Amino acid sequence: MEGMRDLLKGFLGLSLEALPEEDRLAAAWSVACGKALAGHGKVKGYRDGLVWVEVEDGTWLRQLSRMHGQLERELARIAGVKVSEIHFELKR
């Protein structure tokens, strides 16, 4: 099953190539963090490897922050863009 999941993530990355980098990251977000977590945050910006993610509340901010390394790797791999850091901020 893991092999199939990786294959699908690769196809998603290929299908996103024509989009601007921020849009690629936004599209990859739900796949990178999984359906259960995806709805609690949203990619709001990208520049020079830094991704800004808006999070709905403090509980989810802490949860997603603990996963930052994994999310950085997955977003970079799926979206095919450089991701050096994710900055999480609370939704206003």
Side-chain angles (χ1 to χ4, degrees):
M1 186 64 158
E2 191 67 31
M4 179 60 95
R5 189 173 298 134
D6 288 339
L7 183 65
L8 291 172
K9 286 179 182 179
F11 283 133
L12 175 61
L14 290 174
S15 70
L16 298 175
E17 285 181 347
L19 297 175
E21 292 175 327
E22 185 176 331
D23 292 342
R24 292 164 70 175
L25 288 161
W29 174 252
S30 62
V31 177
C33 61
K35 185 178 180 179
L37 295 176
H40 301 288
K42 183 176 181 179
V43 174
K44 296 301 276 185
Y46 174 77
R47 189 176 65 211
D48 299 327
L50 178 60
V51 180
W52 283 272
V53 174
E54 183 179 73
V55 182
E56 67 182 28
D57 64 38
T59 301
W60 290 108
L61 177 75
R62 287 185 294 280
Q63 178 66 31
L64 291 167
S65 293
R66 283 192 285 266
M67 299 175 62
H68 74 91
Q70 175 187 349
L71 291 172
E72 289 164 1
R73 288 186 299 276
E74 285 295 299
L75 279 174
R77 186 169 71 90
I78 296 166
V81 301
K82 175 187 168 192
V83 177
S84 55
E85 184 179 349
I86 299 175
H87 175 77
F88 296 101
E89 51 191 42
L90 286 176
K91 184 176 182 177
R92 297 176 192 241

